[in-house]
Amino acid sequence: MMEMQESPRTPVVMAQLSWFFGIATIVKLLLIPSYHSTDLEVHRHWLAITHSLPLSQWYTDETSEWTLDYPPFFAYLERFLSMFAHLIDPQIVHLHHGLNYKANSAIYFQRMSVIVSDLFLLYGVYRSTLALASLKRNLIWLLVIWSPGLLIVDHLHFQYNGFLFGWLLLSLSFLAQGRDVMGGFLFAVLLCFKHLFAVAAPVYFVYLLRHYCRGGLVRGFARLSVMGAIVVAVFAAAYGPFVYHGQIQQVIRRMFPFGRGLCHAYWAPNFWVFYIMLDKGIAFLLRKFGFNIPAPVASFTGGLVGDASPFAILPRVTPLTTFIMVLLALSPCLFRTWKDPRPRLIVRSVAYAYTCGFLFGWHVHEKASLHFSIPLAIVAVEMASHANEANKSSWCFQP
């Protein structure tokens, strides 16, 4: 990710990284029988949906309240995992008999699937740090492989974030090496696994337009066409079957349920929390002074669909409002990327983009902080190195 410091032998680096990963895996194995959230049942039901139903019904099934709402590549992943789940215990993937199934076979299988999928994270971290000095490598491995946030969200709460961040780190590692086509391809694949990573799409677009599509009008247009064709091909592979079955509108509705509240039930401590607190505070004071302020009937965190506003005083916040706020917050980064599209800056630009999404996005979960904290692990090591060099330089020039 940063400038090359040394060229270690690949087997040596992988062996060292394996120790970090091995210790983390032991901890994950110990956590298998521990607490898990309803997301364990969510993903078990997705296994059942993709195994029991034809593709044309994946995004329309309402057998359970835990309907499929991730992009198609993740649905394909669930379908792949369901083949192994069926061999271990057929009830895991039974659409009706499997509802709320909590047998050890289901829990152990799903927990192990997350642990195995973390191999993508391992490879992403490996590629991102291969050319770094050993101290920097170790620090990044420590911050990412042993991330308490990833450990809690994936191996207690239950999700597949390590798998997804593996794709992100792979994409960033290729961009940092100047291999823009592969970096763009991997990011497009990531978006078809989890669409919430799209917050960084404007940064990717501006960076690739300025860095990859440079070299004159003809060459630039040719390269833009190549990159566009790759992205279209990835999205066609993901969404094409659903377009064929006439289900694309249903897929989009499931992926973007804007009828949910401004804040998630597990709300992120972002800008909108203070906006909500201000609204409630003003309403409370006005009631104290005798004003007739009706109590809102809608919830900030619920899944209520409709036009009712949970705000008593301040203007209603819509998904479009949050979209504009995210773009405005992103604009300095986009201008900087347009002006200076250096590979060594792409990681911090992406981290900044995800910070903007966390602060101003719609229905943000607290775990979205991982979107910027994982890339920031790399940036932190880089910035610490630069700060150390600056301190040495300032010390050398002291009288």
Side-chain angles (χ1 to χ4, degrees):
M1 289 292 182
M2 296 162 271
E3 293 116 60
M4 188 173 294
Q5 301 292 330
E6 60 183 57
S7 299
R9 291 182 297 120
T10 300
V12 174
V13 176
M14 182 55 76
Q16 294 171 344
L17 179 56
S18 297
W19 278 101
F20 280 82
F21 189 76
I23 294 173
T25 300
I26 291 173
V27 175
K28 296 169 187 177
L29 291 171
L30 293 173
L31 292 175
I32 286 178
S34 62
Y35 159 84
H36 58 78
S37 73
T38 54
D39 273 356
L40 189 82
E41 169 59 17
V42 171
H43 285 273
R44 189 217 56 78
H45 187 61
W46 292 358
L47 292 173
I49 289 174
T50 55
H51 183 83
S52 305
L53 298 175
L55 180 142
S56 60
Q57 297 179 29
W58 287 0
Y59 287 91
T60 58
D61 176 76
E62 295 184 351
T63 305
S64 166
E65 61 182 314
W66 311 122
T67 54
L68 181 59
D69 58 6
Y70 273 31
F73 275 180
F74 203 94
Y76 301 154
L77 173 65
E78 296 280 6
R79 177 67 181 93
F80 173 75
L81 293 175
S82 72
M83 294 187 292
F84 299 98
H86 181 262
L87 296 176
I88 293 173
D89 184 350
Q91 191 166 341
I92 297 175
V93 294
H94 197 286
L95 190 61
H96 299 284
H97 297 164
L99 291 175
N100 298 310
Y101 188 52
K102 297 180 180 179
N104 285 337
S105 57
I107 294 173
Y108 276 72
F109 172 78
Q110 291 184 262
R111 291 288 200 193
M112 288 301 301
S113 70
V114 176
I115 293 173
V116 173
S117 72
D118 278 348
L119 289 172
F120 278 84
L121 179 66
L122 173 69
Y123 186 57
V125 173
Y126 163 73
R127 284 206 87 262
S128 300
T129 59
L130 182 60
L132 300 183
S134 59
L135 178 59
K136 293 180 179 180
R137 284 201 311 271
N138 291 340
L139 286 173
I140 293 174
W141 295 348
L142 181 67
L143 292 170
V144 177
I145 299 297
W146 291 358
S147 166
L150 274 179
L151 190 69
I152 292 171
V153 173
D154 280 6
H155 303 280
L156 283 173
H157 178 88
F158 189 83
Q159 282 198 340
Y160 291 86
N161 291 285
F163 169 77
L164 298 171
F165 281 112
W167 286 96
L168 178 64
L169 294 180
L170 281 173
S171 172
L172 292 173
S173 70
F174 280 105
L175 292 184
Q177 293 175 351
R179 299 174 63 180
D180 293 340
V181 172
M182 182 60 72
F185 165 75
L186 290 171
F187 184 69
V189 171
L190 173 62
L191 295 187
C192 294
F193 273 112
K194 187 72 176 287
H195 52 301
L196 299 183
F197 283 91
V199 176
V203 172
Y204 267 80
F205 176 78
V206 172
Y207 174 80
L208 291 173
L209 187 64
R210 289 286 290 154
H211 188 264
Y212 177 68
C213 300
R214 60 188 176 182
L217 182 61
V218 175
R219 184 184 180 188
F221 181 76
R223 289 193 162 197
L224 179 62
S225 300
V226 170
M227 185 63 70
I230 291 172
V231 173
V232 169
V234 171
F235 276 76
Y239 294 91
F242 299 95
V243 174
Y244 175 80
H245 289 289
Q247 292 292 315
I248 190 62
Q249 290 185 341
Q250 177 65 17
V251 173
I252 299 301
R253 280 196 293 267
R254 284 282 182 86
M255 288 171 52
F256 298 98
F258 288 125
R260 292 177 180 175
L262 172 62
C263 294
H264 198 284
Y266 295 96
W267 50 269
N270 59 10
F271 174 82
W272 302 118
V273 171
F274 294 99
Y275 189 83
I276 292 169
M277 290 173 60
L278 180 62
D279 179 80
K280 290 183 176 294
I282 295 174
F284 175 79
L285 289 176
L286 290 178
R287 291 191 190 100
K288 285 292 185 181
F289 285 106
F291 289 90
N292 183 22
I293 306 296
V297 297
S299 169
F300 289 106
T301 60
L304 183 64
V305 178
D307 296 326
S309 173
F311 292 100
I313 303 297
L314 297 179
R316 177 188 178 191
V317 177
T318 65
L320 179 60
T321 304
T322 63
F323 178 75
I324 293 172
M325 289 285 287
V326 171
L327 282 183
L328 288 174
L330 260 178
S331 57
C333 177
L334 298 179
F335 287 131
R336 173 63 185 272
T337 304
W338 179 270
K339 189 176 181 180
D340 186 16
R342 282 183 290 168
R344 66 186 299 271
L345 299 177
I346 187 60
V347 182
R348 68 184 69 181
S349 297
V350 168
Y352 177 83
Y354 287 130
T355 304
C356 294
F358 181 83
L359 290 176
F360 301 107
W362 176 267
H363 202 69
V364 180
H365 193 293
E366 59 184 351
K367 68 175 181 288
S369 60
L370 290 172
H371 287 197
F372 59 84
S373 63
I374 297 300
L376 277 178
I378 298 170
V379 176
V381 174
E382 180 183 23
M383 297 300 291
S385 174
H386 289 174
N388 186 46
E389 292 173 3
N391 288 334
K392 288 181 180 178
S393 299
S394 63
W395 180 82
C396 289
F397 286 100
Q398 285 180 354

